[in-house]
Amino acid sequence: NAGVMQNPRHLVRRRGQEARLRCSPMKGHSHVYWYRQLPEEGLKFMVYLQKENIIDESGMPKERFSAEFPKEGPSILRIQQVVRGDSAAYFCASSPGQLMNTEAFFGQGTRLTVV
Amino acid sequence: QKEVEQDPGPLSVPEGAIVSLNCTYSNSAFQYFMWYRQYSRKGPELLMYTYSSGNKEDGRFTAQVDKSSKYISLFIRDSQPSDSATYLCAMSEEGSYIPTFGRGTSLIVHP
């Protein structure tokens, strides 16, 4: 049983380009959470999705960021018109139910560098 | 004041030492308390979780929660170089599905 798969592991984008980060949850998991990690701030919640639904996007910046979790395929975190401040490690986690506290597993992360 | 405070370290100890990692918090509604371990360039992995107050032991690891002081601890006995990692505390309210994380403490166990 493969773990949570994120790709790419490293992504370099120029300012103004789009970044697409993909997350395939563990088999049997239908809940996905995206987090951003900055060195001085720790893990910050961005968005929580179930298949085809955004449940909680209270941590998402209002502009340029969007997320989806389609019926088929991985969850996608999209960042449009990237800026230097978007450089960070982006992690997704998945869980079988609505209990991220005790049942969630994290992926290895995507490290985004904006140049 | 942040909701969850955690000293980033680094904390450097010799192999075999007892390590104490701590977090303080301000939200008295927190009921779930978790500890994650994150190796460099890897994702966090859940080590232990505790519901409400009390202690929980798992091998060399012991988690303690003192809700009256809003203080949680993770103890590592007989520390090993393989324990070198960043340890993040996380906590959430009853019924909340999104934990709040501390910024993590970097631990270095040298041989």
Side-chain angles (χ1 to χ4, degrees):
Chain A
N1 185 16
V4 179
M5 304 300 292
Q6 288 188 251
N7 63 82
R9 293 291 308 278
H10 301 274
L11 182 61
V12 179
R13 283 289 178 265
R14 296 185 185 279
R15 282 178 293 171
Q17 290 185 319
E18 178 180 287
R20 279 186 180 234
L21 288 63
R22 288 177 290 277
C23 170
S24 296
M26 285 182 71
K27 188 175 181 180
H29 289 193
S30 58
H31 300 250
V32 167
Y33 315 80
W34 284 94
Y35 279 78
R36 177 164 59 180
Q37 188 173 42
L38 291 165
E40 302 301 316
E41 297 181 12
L43 275 167
K44 297 296 183 186
F45 166 74
M46 299 182 75
V47 61
Y48 163 38
L49 310 103
Q50 290 182 38
K51 283 284 186 181
E52 299 185 279
N53 287 304
I54 296 175
I55 306 302
D56 184 337
E57 56 182 349
S58 57
M60 287 274 274
K62 293 290 186 277
E63 297 177 351
R64 302 187 298 107
F65 285 73
S66 63
E68 62 176 9
F69 190 13
K71 188 176 181 181
E72 301 290 338
S75 175
I76 306 286
L77 179 68
R78 191 169 88 157
I79 311 172
Q80 295 177 293
Q81 299 175 320
V82 296
V83 300
R84 288 244 170 91
D86 297 332
S87 296
Y90 292 83
F91 290 95
C92 82
S94 73
S95 65
Q98 201 179 46
L99 276 179
M100 196 204 160
N101 300 328
T102 58
E103 297 181 341
F105 293 85
F106 279 87
Q108 302 280 41
T110 293
R111 278 155 185 83
L112 172 66
T113 303
V114 179
V115 296
Chain B
Q1 182 192 11
K2 291 184 178 178
E3 250 190 325
V4 179
E5 298 275 5
Q6 188 175 10
D7 188 329
L11 176 63
S12 182
V13 301
E15 182 175 357
I18 297 175
V19 175
S20 173
L21 302 164
N22 312 294
C23 289
T24 59
Y25 62 95
S26 57
N27 185 351
S28 57
F30 284 147
Q31 292 279 24
Y32 287 91
F33 303 92
M34 288 77 72
W35 285 96
Y36 285 80
R37 178 175 63 197
Q38 185 176 20
Y39 291 112
S40 181
R41 301 292 184 180
K42 302 290 186 183
E45 56 176 322
L46 180 65
L47 270 178
M48 301 178 68
Y49 73 90
T50 310
Y51 177 74
S52 193
S53 282
N55 296 357
K56 189 172 186 178
E57 189 173 319
D58 184 1
R60 296 185 295 111
F61 298 88
T62 300
Q64 283 187 356
V65 175
D66 182 348
K67 292 187 73 178
S68 62
S69 302
K70 296 191 181 69
Y71 188 89
I72 69 170
S73 301
L74 177 71
F75 297 97
I76 307 174
R77 290 183 299 280
D78 188 24
S79 56
Q80 305 294 311
S82 58
D83 294 328
S84 298
T86 296
Y87 290 80
L88 302 99
C89 64
M91 42 198 85
S92 65
E93 299 180 21
E94 185 81 58
S96 170
Y97 40 74
I98 305 296
T100 300
F101 283 82
R103 59 179 291 184
T105 298
S106 174
L107 171 66
I108 302 167
V109 182
H110 49 87

